[in-house]
Amino acid sequence: MRYAVFGNPVLHSLSPRLHLAFAAQFNLPIVYEAFQVTEDELLLQIERFRTMDGKGFNVTAPYKQILCNQVVEMTQRAQYMQAVNTVTIKDGKLYGDNTDGVGFIRDLTIRHAITVQQKDILILGSGGAVPAILSELLALQPRNIMIANRDINKAKKVVKNMSAIKVLSYDDLIDQNFDIIINATSAGIKKEILPLPNKFNFKNAVCYDLNYLPETTQFLVDATIKGAKKTINGLGMLLEQAAESFYVWHNVRPELNSVVSRL
Ligand code: NDP
């Protein structure tokens, strides 16, 4: 049974190791490869994979949005996010899903036991990952959600007509208190510094960085130094979204703790 991940860059991806470890728990004989492809090559390589009897594949940055136009059907959560990270191939047709949101919320609320209800939440960034985490957070009824992004118009687009969500610039973030601060920017992976004001208040907040490479980003270092209650990187989200993809394909849920300790 052939599976794969397509992206660029993707050679650093942990997905092959995760899916092989999950499959070993059920004695499933799978192959899982990583294909680093340019946008020009993407569709051709997916077609090649399909004709070689591929059963399904993951899609990572920057192709999650492009895949929406390549699948015959999308789950409701993928439609809402307008992004696909999990594709199932059935009778030669591609079916799209998105497991990022559920991966994030399971990691935050189950693995780390963080309560979202009635909390004040700040999300930094407005890229492709934000609709996924936003929809899951909203379902748990926080008191407030605010979004800050360098490009304010991009943040407004993500929020669309959700009037309950406030869009801010980084300069607006002085003198505000948050219970949960989520770094959904790609600053960490690029080793860049977020434009947070000097007086930004991390005190007593749970700080979650979607990035897991490097393991500790500057955001998490600053949060620790400046009094955050807890810091979490995105490795758990990666695991949970991979486990959900595995469930979509094989209809069984892998046990994650042994996989975490091996990683
Ligand atoms: P996108 O490329 O779609 O968006 C990037 C966002 O980061 C934009 O809002 C951009 O702001 C912001 N940004 C980039 N650099 C900086 C900077 N130096 N300072 C402030 N803001 C910055 O990325 P995604 O939304 O797809 O993913 C975001 C991150 O989350 C990625 O690093 C990705 O690897 C990680 N991720 C992790 C997952 C996991 O399973 N752990 C799953 C999905 C994503 P602007 O619009 O102003 O340019």
Side-chain angles (χ1 to χ4, degrees), residues 121-127 130 145-152 155 159 165-173 178 182-185 194 196 200:
I121 301 177
L122 171 67
I123 299 175
L124 303 170
S126 300
V130 170
I145 299 190
M146 299 190 185
I147 297 193
N149 197 43
R150 291 182 304 193
D151 180 343
I152 290 273
V159 168
I165 300 172
K166 216 169 166 187
V167 171
L168 303 170
S169 76
Y170 279 88
D171 291 339
D172 295 329
L173 294 174
F178 301 100
I182 300 158
N183 179 16
T185 76
L194 287 171
L196 288 168
F200 180 73

Side-chain angles (χ1 to χ4, degrees), residues 12 60-62 64-65 85 100 103-104 124-131 148-152 154-155 170 183-195 208-213 233-242:
H12 67 283
T60 187
K64 292 181 189 178
Q65 284 80 15
N85 81 337
D100 281 338
F104 164 76
L124 303 170
S126 300
V130 170
N149 197 43
R150 291 182 304 193
D151 180 343
I152 290 273
K154 212 158 135 190
Y170 279 88
N183 179 16
T185 76
S186 51
I189 205 166
K190 297 186 288 177
K191 300 213 165 64
E192 292 175 2
I193 311 278
L194 287 171
Y208 193 111
D209 197 323
L210 261 54
N211 294 284
Y212 54 91
L213 286 173
N233 76 13
L235 187 61
M237 173 180 178
L238 179 84
L239 273 161
E240 294 283 358
Q241 64 78 29

